[in-house]
Amino acid sequence: MKNYSSFTRLFFLSVALFSFTEIVNGQFVYLNPLPGSKNRNPETTIAIRNGSIINEASLKSRDWIEITGSQSGSHTWTARLSDDKKSIIIKPNPVFDFDETVSITIQSKLKKQNGHTINGTSFSFQTSKALTPEQEEVKQQAIRTTHAGEFEDDSAPESNTRDNDLDSLPSFTLVVNNNAAPGQIFYNNQYDLDPNNTNCFNTIIENDGSIVYSKDMGINGHDFKINYDGHVTYTDYTHNQWIVVDSNYAPIDSMSPGNGYDVLNPHDLSLYSDHHALILIDDYEVMDMTAYGGLSNALVNMGVIQELDADHNVVWEWRGVDHFQVTDADTFVVLTSVAVDLIHFNAVSFDNDGNVLLSSRFLSEVTKINHDTGDIIWRLGGFNNQFTFVNDNIPEHFSYQHDARRIENGNLTLYNNGNHLIPPRSTAKEYQLDEANHVATLAWYYEHPPVGGYGVNGPATGSVQRLPNGNTLISWGTNNTHPDRPAFTEVDSSGNITWELHFDQAGQKAYRVHKYVWDPCAPIDFTYVKVKKITTTSAKVYWTPVKNAISYNVQFRKLGNSTWRLKNTTHAVVQIGRLLPNTSYEYRLRTSCANGYLSDWTPVDTFTTHPAKFLTSENDNALAFQIYPNPASDLLTMTFALDQDRQIAVCIYDVAGRLMLTHAQTFPAGEQELKMNISALPAGYYLAQVRTGAVNQTMKFVKE
């Protein structure tokens, strides 16, 4: 244990604590930046959450919030309501200055959806000082080395990516394949012994080792997996972002840190069906480390979690510097460096109750965080452990762990790297947590038998995945010495090995490994989508058939409308009818597959119908009016175009020839539209006759 003085601990505790009185009084359950916090980036946005649905109209007032910097003065701002309808994101304009105090005053003018007024509040925070050129250089060097052994070195040039380039794909040997769980194995390899590691492949293989997909990602591709929302994701470390791809592996989205943070932590992305994402960020804070024998202006990586909404706005942010202390770190963390990687976040996800689970490698701790307030709910493991461990005879229980996850049965799994144990050994562990009484009971664990006389351990990286059939898939992490040591092992609940693979080259590893039963439904290749045979009232859409497709959905709408109209077809062509002349329409397509999957929609594109023929003395026999919708329930709309002012008479007849409705009106020259209320008509078939002079035209429609 570290022997820090009580004074030192109290000092850092006082630095980490801030007053929440203003939050309570102001009826806001969440404010960001945290009131009283320091070292905020000048580009930070402001996020507030009351907990209730907000009346969006109340945001339109221009005087409900005041933003003032002690140096930058008064700021204008834009505000928007996030997709949860509870979180408000305010973007100051311009950004703040370095090293200033920012004061925020929220007036009692915002309203909940029920009309109740939200009490205002005031708070302040401080922005950071600008890094000196020397500090910026140290930071960049720290970025290159912080995750050494965890992922590729970004000092190497990015290689060209190649699909299914098997010549340079690291070879492997399948050791066991005996009643393995069904599915395909996803991983991204890294070669720790090559400082220019530029052959990191995103790879999918079958249980028998046959290759489904491989792509040389250069230095990228870290944490290649199917995320919680069903999309495949991986790290593009070169461009400081996460990439989301569709089932054809084509990029469809990307996510980067917000609020001025410029260093993505590539360990984990958790992306959910509501399109919200949790990402990790490296946050280098200038700190005085002389109390620990370090430098007075060291750069200390404290870590940040951000939640991004569907529009990639930061709606929730949590900073390690506001909640953790230097004294929380493991004894073996070097505190005397110019750059100190103190905490090292490596896994984040929403817990079953909507709060947040965080794994911090250098704290040897799993932390549960209140998603509303940002308060720590409990701490499992490390110096600040609050749990009693039962049935777990390893003294440290776990250390330097990776991949802490809540699984379907409510338990917590993690990969225990077990650093500094003698002899070295790593284990997969499952804990049953009694959160009310703070008891962690070891429910299951697996330790691999020795291979070649050596225990199987990975001092860095690694993962544990509980599979649907009860088996567990393990990545053993870093392996720099023994090529015959397993990289991946799948075991059943009794610890019997059902599947195992090792790389043929020592130093090859994968950060994580996952298995999924995945029979994707490919989207339509938009390159080959064509709109042809466009008329005044119709168009045909053609595309290339998709493997596994049983049908296709085609949506279209008048440009500017909010409601889509839908057509289904089993063929790779569809005719869209009942359109307006000389009108632009949006459309998109997706695939429906036999396995129950729906593909992603294609990008939205547009086409424009041809202009209607004008009614003139030369074409009086072709009035060419159109009616829609058909069938209709309340309003029947008629469109036509005139070369001059004309009187138009409309008569509605039932099938027996009885006149039901009539309307006459003089229209000016040009494209015209007439709406008739048919809500009083009984359901059935009708004829609409339009007359002008000696010309008439009749069309049939259905009243629903």
Side-chain angles (χ1 to χ4, degrees):
M1 292 289 291
K2 293 181 180 177
N3 186 23
Y4 296 121
S5 69
S6 299
F7 172 79
T8 301
R9 288 187 175 275
L10 287 173
F11 171 77
F12 280 95
L13 180 62
S14 65
V15 171
L17 294 178
F18 302 100
S19 171
F20 288 88
T21 304
E22 293 176 319
I23 300 178
V24 174
N25 291 341
Q27 293 189 17
F28 291 102
V29 297
Y30 173 73
L31 294 173
N32 188 65
L34 190 69
S37 58
K38 300 179 180 180
N39 294 333
R40 310 304 300 222
N41 291 323
E43 301 90 345
T44 192
T45 57
I46 299 157
I48 60 177
R49 185 184 309 124
N50 166 263
S52 302
I53 302 239
I54 301 298
N55 180 342
E56 190 167 6
S58 66
L59 271 64
K60 296 180 180 179
S61 167
R62 299 309 302 168
D63 60 355
W64 63 266
I65 184 171
E66 297 174 7
I67 304 173
T68 306
S70 58
Q71 296 176 179
S72 57
S74 179
H75 288 251
T76 61
W77 47 269
T78 57
R80 67 178 303 274
L81 195 60
S82 181
D83 49 21
D84 64 4
K85 304 302 181 185
K86 299 178 180 180
S87 303
I88 302 172
I89 303 102
I90 303 106
K91 183 178 181 180
N93 183 38
V95 301
F96 302 118
D97 287 349
F98 283 106
D99 195 20
E100 70 170 342
T101 299
V102 177
S103 300
I104 309 292
T105 300
I106 301 173
Q107 306 291 347
S108 300
K109 293 186 177 182
L110 291 175
K111 293 185 180 296
K112 304 177 187 178
Q113 191 178 48
N114 61 12
H116 293 169
T117 298
I118 301 171
N119 290 341
T121 190
S122 297
F123 65 98
S124 63
F125 58 90
Q126 289 184 319
T127 58
S128 62
K129 295 181 179 180
L131 296 182
T132 65
E134 293 77 15
Q135 288 173 324
E136 185 61 40
E137 175 57 33
V138 169
K139 175 182 172 181
Q140 295 305 316
Q141 180 61 33
I143 293 169
R144 291 189 287 268
T145 59
T146 291
H147 306 284
E150 301 266 3
F151 59 94
E152 46 282 318
D153 179 358
D154 78 326
S155 62
E158 182 180 11
S159 68
N160 295 325
T161 57
R162 302 180 293 275
D163 288 337
N164 297 315
D165 179 9
L166 304 185
D167 292 338
S168 53
L169 178 69
S171 63
F172 55 81
T173 299
L174 193 63
V175 181
V176 179
N177 183 17
N178 181 21
N179 200 31
Q184 298 171 328
I185 297 94
F186 287 59
Y187 66 88
N188 171 269
N189 69 284
Q190 294 115 40
Y191 185 40
D192 285 341
L193 300 183
D194 178 7
N196 298 324
N197 184 9
T198 60
N199 276 80
C200 301
F201 281 78
N202 283 353
T203 305
I204 305 174
I205 63 174
E206 299 282 5
N207 278 331
D208 63 5
S210 59
I211 296 170
V212 175
Y213 169 80
S214 68
K215 182 172 184 177
D216 184 350
M217 301 301 294
I219 64 171
N220 297 309
H222 199 65
D223 197 27
F224 178 56
K225 66 187 177 188
I226 298 179
N227 227 300
Y228 296 107
D229 75 330
H231 282 107
V232 175
T233 59
Y234 58 83
T235 308
D236 175 8
Y237 186 65
T238 304
H239 301 99
N240 202 46
Q241 63 185 351
W242 286 96
I243 299 295
V244 184
V245 300
D246 62 21
S247 50
N248 278 341
Y249 314 108
I252 58 174
D253 199 3
S254 63
M255 278 161 283
S256 299
N259 286 354
Y261 290 103
D262 57 359
V263 187
L264 181 75
N265 177 327
H267 281 95
D268 204 11
L269 163 74
S270 290
L271 181 60
Y272 296 91
S273 58
D274 62 357
H275 307 297
H276 281 227
L278 290 174
I279 66 171
L280 298 173
I281 299 167
D282 287 343
D283 173 28
Y284 290 88
E285 300 275 341
V286 179
M287 296 180 64
D288 184 354
M289 299 293 285
T290 54
Y292 315 102
L295 303 178
S296 60
N297 60 346
L299 287 174
V300 181
N301 181 15
M302 299 295 291
V304 170
I305 309 170
Q306 285 184 347
E307 179 188 356
L308 308 181
D309 68 9
D311 295 318
H312 301 171
N313 298 298
V314 179
V315 292
W316 186 81
E317 184 174 278
W318 193 89
R319 303 194 311 161
V321 70
D322 295 331
H323 301 275
F324 291 142
Q325 302 176 56
V326 173
T327 52
D328 294 341
D330 183 88
T331 306
F332 291 91
V333 175
V334 177
L335 304 180
T336 56
S337 302
V338 177
V340 180
D341 187 19
L342 187 76
I343 299 174
H344 203 93
F345 294 168
N346 61 23
V348 66
S349 59
F350 282 117
D351 202 354
N352 296 339
D353 58 6
N355 293 308
V356 176
L357 289 176
L358 171 68
S359 172
S360 301
R361 171 172 166 83
F362 290 161
L363 302 189
S364 296
E365 175 180 310
V366 178
T367 312
K368 183 164 180 173
I369 302 164
N370 188 306
H371 184 249
D372 284 332
T373 65
D375 295 340
I376 291 176
I377 297 174
W378 50 249
R379 305 177 76 167
L380 174 71
F383 289 138
N384 295 282
N385 172 57
Q386 296 172 320
F387 282 73
T388 299
F389 284 85
V390 175
N391 197 33
D392 190 0
N393 58 7
I394 296 178
E396 288 184 301
H397 309 299
F398 58 84
S399 63
Y400 281 43
Q401 78 292 333
H402 279 78
D403 207 31
R405 306 287 174 187
R406 185 80 71 170
I407 60 175
E408 189 173 354
N409 66 4
N411 291 352
L412 184 80
T413 57
L414 55 82
Y415 179 65
N416 175 30
N417 294 82
N419 291 44
H420 314 306
L421 292 178
I422 301 176
R425 61 193 186 276
S426 299
T427 54
K429 289 194 163 188
E430 175 187 355
Y431 289 101
Q432 182 182 31
L433 299 183
D434 179 349
E435 297 183 63
N437 297 302
H438 287 185
V439 177
T441 301
L442 185 64
W444 180 89
Y445 81 102
Y446 177 77
E447 182 176 335
H448 199 287
V451 175
Y454 294 93
V456 175
N457 78 297
T461 74
S463 63
V464 172
Q465 181 192 12
R466 180 61 45 81
L467 302 174
N469 74 340
N471 287 3
T472 303
L473 181 63
I474 306 163
S475 168
W476 294 103
T478 299
N479 171 30
N480 293 339
T481 54
H482 304 294
D484 57 346
R485 200 209 71 178
F488 313 137
T489 303
E490 180 184 320
V491 297
D492 63 20
S493 58
S494 299
N496 301 305
I497 297 175
T498 61
W499 186 87
E500 189 163 88
L501 174 151
H502 70 72
F503 290 110
D504 296 332
Q505 183 182 33
Q508 287 286 354
K509 65 127 189 280
Y511 166 53
R512 288 181 180 144
V513 64
H514 297 93
K515 179 182 278 191
Y516 311 98
V517 176
W518 193 52
D519 188 10
C521 187
I524 295 166
D525 188 341
F526 196 63
T527 307
Y528 299 103
V529 176
K530 306 295 181 186
V531 181
K532 300 180 179 180
K533 298 183 179 180
I534 300 174
T535 71
T536 57
T537 60
S538 66
K540 277 192 174 182
V541 186
Y542 298 81
W543 59 92
T544 302
V546 174
K547 179 184 176 182
N548 291 337
I550 58 172
S551 65
Y552 304 93
N553 304 143
V554 181
Q555 285 188 333
F556 62 99
R557 63 186 178 188
K558 183 179 176 181
L559 187 64
N561 283 2
S562 59
T563 303
W564 291 99
R565 295 158 65 184
L566 175 69
K567 292 204 73 169
N568 297 310
T569 178
T570 57
H571 304 287
V573 59
V574 67
Q575 178 162 322
I576 302 172
R578 304 202 308 274
L579 306 178
L580 296 176
N582 199 31
T583 302
S584 294
Y585 286 87
E586 296 179 310
Y587 69 97
R588 61 183 183 178
L589 306 88
R590 72 179 177 187
T591 313
S592 176
C593 294
N595 54 19
Y597 282 92
L598 289 171
S599 77
D600 299 301
W601 289 103
T602 61
V604 174
D605 204 356
T606 61
F607 66 88
T608 302
T609 54
H610 292 167
K613 294 181 179 179
F614 283 95
L615 177 63
T616 67
S617 58
E618 288 77 21
N619 67 358
D620 276 356
N621 61 343
L623 182 58
F625 81 98
Q626 301 295 324
I627 62 174
Y628 74 93
N630 191 1
S633 57
D634 297 319
L635 290 178
L636 186 69
T637 301
M638 304 177 187
T639 61
F640 44 87
L642 306 174
D643 67 329
Q644 62 184 31
D645 295 356
R646 288 177 179 265
Q647 186 181 61
I648 300 294
V650 180
C651 296
I652 306 295
Y653 298 93
D654 66 11
V655 291
R658 291 175 296 202
L659 181 63
M660 307 299 292
L661 291 173
T662 184
H663 181 84
Q665 184 177 343
T666 298
F667 289 89
E671 296 183 8
Q672 304 299 337
E673 182 178 272
L674 170 65
K675 295 182 182 292
M676 292 188 68
N677 188 339
I678 62 170
S679 59
L681 294 179
Y685 289 93
Y686 293 88
L687 297 175
Q689 183 186 68
V690 178
R691 297 195 311 271
T692 178
V695 178
N696 71 75
Q697 189 170 338
T698 303
M699 291 189 71
K700 183 164 59 177
F701 70 92
V702 177
K703 164 65 168 63
E704 292 181 321

